[in-house]
Amino acid sequence: MNILGISRGTKFSPNLANSDAAIFATVVEELKGLGHEVKTIHEDEILQYDYTPFDRIFTMARDGESLETLRVELSKETLQKFINSIAGALTCTNKSSVAAIMLEAGIPQPNFCNGQKRTLLKSFVENYNELNVPIWLKNSDSSAITADDTIFCQTEEECRNALLNFESRGVDTWIAQEHQKGDLIKFYGVEGTDFFHWNYASSGHSKFGHEKINGKEKGYRFNAENIKRYADLMAKKLSVPIYGGDVIIDEEGHFWFIDFNDFPSFSICRSEAAKAIAERIIQ
């Protein structure tokens, strides 16, 4: 096969640029080792590139404006070559959209409400009583690229200050999500393969240090196969077979999805993940 790989811009790899580059390079080597021709470009080049010669295209790009341009301008036939899909990658950059799809699919997640800039504080006041503090306020406009895109709030005053922070930065949409106590688990998977890896957040790399809010894990028992089943369901709905995310496990083994992302760095399981990703690309 003739395969194109698109690497991720460092802007969208806060504190993880080396890890994102490493999984990309490892996947490229896996594909070449299987006898495929692989060309690579940076996501800064995606609007000026001709995609017609390629049989498959795997992308880590996350620039919303560029991805939206491709989604509109490329033919349906060309868009079908992309793994992960452009539409799915765009959806993953919007936390409100991800939460809505999880809700529709019956995937367990904390209670949440959405808001928009034009009714920023007004809509928060109207919906505040529907949620139990503490809560997380998350920027829904794009992937998190700074620590202030996800803010932990323990009081109404902290929530108001966080929303004012969003407003001052020009954030148009946000999601408020109840905090869940329990063990924080990070998971990584490739839908369509047997690959699925999980680890406690404390044993992996942290983007912004938010994981410390949940404290040291207690080792609560849970069924990882159920998490994979829901994660694969989400991956199918988004056409994002290469994925990662976070779940909270409580003392009874119940779990809640709190994040779902396209093409994470897989830094803690890179070698095994790269083999599964290469397998999925050539399926």
Side-chain angles (χ1 to χ4, degrees), residues 7-25:
S7 63
R8 179 170 295 151
T10 55
K11 174 183 177 180
F12 302 101
S13 297
N15 301 320
L16 288 172
N18 290 338
S19 295
D20 280 348
I23 185 61
F24 182 80

Side-chain angles (χ1 to χ4, degrees), residues 3 26-27 30-31 34 36 190 273-283:
I3 299 171
T26 308
V27 171
E30 285 289 337
L31 290 168
L34 294 170
H36 300 282
V190 182
K275 291 180 172 60
I277 293 167
E279 175 190 339
R280 184 64 176 81
I281 289 170
I282 63 178
Q283 279 183 4

